[in-house]
Amino acid sequence: MIPRTVFNEEHEQFRDSVRKFLEKEVAPHHAQWEKEGQVDRALWNKAGEMGFLCPQAPEAYGGLELDFGYNAIVDEEIGRTGFTGIGWGLHSDIAVPYIVNYGTDEQKDKYLRRCISGEIVTAIAMTEPGAGSDLQGVRTTAVRDGGDYILNGSKTFITNGQHADLVIVVAKTDPAAGAAGTSLLLVEADSPGFKKGTNLDKVGMKAQDTSELFFDDVRVPAGNLLGAEGQGFIYLMQELPQERLSVAISAIANAEAALGWTVDYVKERKAFGRPVASFQNTQFKLAELASECTAMRVFIDRCLELHYDRQLDVATAAKAKLLSTDFQCKLLDECVQLHGGYGYMWEYPIARAWADARVQRIYAGTNEIMKLIISREMLKDG
Ligand SMILES: Cc1cc2nc3c(=O)[nH]c(=O)nc-3n(C[C@H](O)[C@H](O)[C@H](O)COP(=O)(O)OP(=O)(O)OC[C@H]3O[C@@H](n4cnc5c(N)ncnc54)[C@H](O)[C@@H]3O)c2cc1C
């Protein structure tokens, strides 16, 4: 074992309380929530009471102003347990940081306390039916009309879409200006004209309320513009390394846990009168996966350490997301194989993890887009 150096004693105490909470409040219900397509809304409020939401939020707005290690611990514990219905990572690591980093004092005062308490669930709506990887192709528009913007368009695949009370919407305020005409708006879910569509029927992550959202002449007060008009694309680029690190952290935590479940399984399961663990193929597979897990863990921890010091660059975050999620999917596939037919049964955590993990290579920027980012950095002049 290579000892981890990214967490201190307080972090580990926090981990202990997250772990106990998940065991008590989530484990008994997650399978039912998968059938219902979403977690119980009250889970968010309970998590808020426990201080699990938005650990980095400033003290001035009721937050604990902790380091990103606390977010990482929540991500790891959810990754380790496979409770993928819980959208706290999207809320704490991705959406709320936009308000913290680009919001006005008024916006922070209005929303942050309730984001921390779980009274407000957030989402971020970039993707549209016709625009995913190519965000410059967003067609949702926000046209200024007096003191408001009039928002029209539709979004799809939005995490926390059903529970969301506040959505950061990526819209064109100047469609002719391309990326420079993109802005971010804070849209409250009860705004007239804002409709939540279908809770999408996915291959995995079945308790996650990934949804369509529709905006039909929604009046958004100009005061709900996040940051400056036309700067939305730049803000998205600035926030993406943390989003990708968060995905990488959950990927390696899930991979490590799945390997552990598989070790337990192959020791128990017998074929040809001997434990599956006694076959050399099993031993070699486990050894290969464990070696890769160790290397991946060291790399992702180093990225986390860099992120503590705000030194994690865009290309390195892309490498972390690319490698960790490709590896997670490869490991889970091998682990399903070692489980035989049981590995394909939904009641086995390994089957769920295999299905849940597939999207890790798709969202937060597909792994092909990660390769574009990495190679662009390598090939740039100067
Ligand atoms: C469960 C889930 C949750 C999600 N949550 C959110 C969310 O909360 N908010 C949000 O805004 N979005 C969310 N998404 C959307 C996600 O980010 C997009 O699906 C993703 O960015 C890919 O976009 P797309 O689906 O339009 O695929 P496309 O962009 O159509 O890509 C199709 C294929 O073409 C490849 N491709 C595209 N462009 C290039 C290129 N230039 N070079 C090489 N290959 C290329 C892609 O890599 C992919 O393999 C979520 C998606 C899922 C499935």
Side-chain angles (χ1 to χ4, degrees):
M1 276 292 288
I2 297 181
R4 300 187 70 187
T5 53
V6 283
F7 298 122
N8 58 31
E9 214 172 293
E10 282 88 53
H11 285 124
E12 292 304 339
Q13 282 164 6
F14 180 75
R15 182 192 301 284
D16 195 48
S17 66
V18 175
R19 195 170 278 194
K20 287 190 177 122
F21 180 89
L22 294 179
E23 272 162 25
K24 181 165 173 268
E25 301 289 346
V26 179
H29 310 293
H30 199 262
Q32 179 58 30
W33 293 340
E34 284 179 346
K35 291 186 185 130
E36 291 166 11
Q38 55 188 350
V39 303
D40 183 1
R41 177 62 179 81
L43 186 72
W44 283 87
N45 305 75
K46 289 181 191 170
E49 275 168 36
M50 295 295 292
F52 298 159
L53 303 178
C54 319
Q56 294 174 292
E59 277 177 7
Y61 301 99
L64 296 170
E65 214 165 317
L66 297 168
D67 58 65
F68 187 74
Y70 290 85
N71 301 53
I73 283 171
V74 174
D75 298 338
E76 286 188 5
E77 290 307 305
I78 293 174
R80 198 181 62 79
T81 51
F83 296 144
T84 51
I86 305 173
W88 303 339
L90 186 287
H91 178 77
S92 304
D93 307 358
I94 300 169
V96 172
Y98 281 91
I99 305 176
V100 172
N101 294 334
Y102 311 109
T104 60
D105 289 345
E106 274 168 2
Q107 290 166 345
K108 291 180 192 174
D109 200 44
K110 186 165 180 200
Y111 297 121
L112 282 182
R113 279 181 194 80
R114 289 183 288 153
C115 291
I116 297 163
S117 71
E119 200 185 323
I120 287 181
V121 172
T122 58
I124 177 155
M126 300 179 251
T127 308
E128 300 184 354
S133 301
D134 179 14
L135 279 180
Q136 295 196 32
V138 158
R139 294 177 66 173
T140 297
T141 53
V143 177
R144 191 70 190 252
D145 181 49
D148 297 329
Y149 287 96
I150 312 281
L151 186 65
N152 276 292
S154 66
K155 300 285 179 180
T156 193
F157 305 150
I158 306 306
T159 300
N160 296 340
Q162 296 294 310
H163 283 321
D165 304 291
L166 184 67
V167 183
I168 299 169
V169 178
V170 178
K172 288 277 170 72
T173 37
D174 182 358
T182 305
S183 303
L184 307 183
L185 291 172
L186 286 162
V187 183
E188 297 182 7
D190 57 4
S191 309
F194 177 5
K195 203 167 128 262
K196 293 175 178 173
T198 317
N199 187 1
L200 298 161
D201 187 11
K202 302 185 295 303
V203 168
M205 295 183 66
K206 288 185 174 292
Q208 168 47 230
D209 49 314
T210 316
S211 308
E212 299 173 310
L213 303 177
F214 300 99
F215 308 97
D216 183 12
D217 283 334
V218 180
R219 280 198 168 266
V220 182
N224 278 26
L225 175 73
L226 200 47
E229 195 176 282
Q231 295 295 300
F233 217 78
I234 292 169
Y235 301 149
L236 291 172
M237 296 306 119
Q238 281 166 351
E239 293 304 301
L240 284 171
Q242 179 160 304
E243 171 169 359
R244 289 172 184 153
L245 177 62
S246 163
V247 170
I249 286 167
S250 77
I252 179 63
N254 182 250
E256 286 171 342
L259 189 57
W261 306 332
T262 307
V263 167
D264 291 344
Y265 183 81
V266 296
K267 285 204 241 171
E268 284 290 316
R269 177 76 179 167
K270 288 200 170 59
F272 296 92
R274 30 197 287 223
V276 170
S278 71
F279 301 121
Q280 195 182 50
N281 177 64
T282 307
Q283 295 162 2
F284 280 16
K285 282 284 175 222
L286 293 178
E288 284 164 17
L289 295 172
S291 308
E292 287 175 284
C293 256
T294 302
M296 195 64 67
R297 163 57 65 213
V298 172
F299 173 46
I300 302 304
D301 275 1
R302 179 71 185 122
C303 289
L304 175 57
E305 206 169 47
L306 285 170
H307 192 55
Y308 284 159
D309 297 334
R310 300 183 183 280
Q311 297 295 319
L312 182 68
D313 63 89
V314 171
T316 308
K319 289 175 191 171
K321 196 266 177 182
L322 167 67
L323 287 179
S324 63
T325 58
D326 273 359
F327 172 62
Q328 179 189 16
C329 289
K330 179 187 120 170
L331 176 140
L332 288 166
D333 198 67
E334 300 277 21
C335 290
V336 165
Q337 192 70 16
L338 288 171
H339 277 74
Y342 293 98
Y344 200 62
M345 297 299 123
W346 194 255
E347 69 186 275
Y348 277 72
I350 196 72
R352 289 178 149 96
W354 178 74
D356 289 351
R358 187 60 185 84
V359 75
Q360 295 260 83
R361 288 157 59 195
I362 296 172
Y363 58 24
T366 67
N367 283 8
E368 291 71 35
I369 297 299
M370 296 307 103
K371 290 178 197 178
L372 283 183
I373 293 169
I374 297 160
S375 58
R376 202 180 293 141
E377 176 68 21
M378 292 169 74
L379 298 171
K380 77 177 180 200
D381 291 331

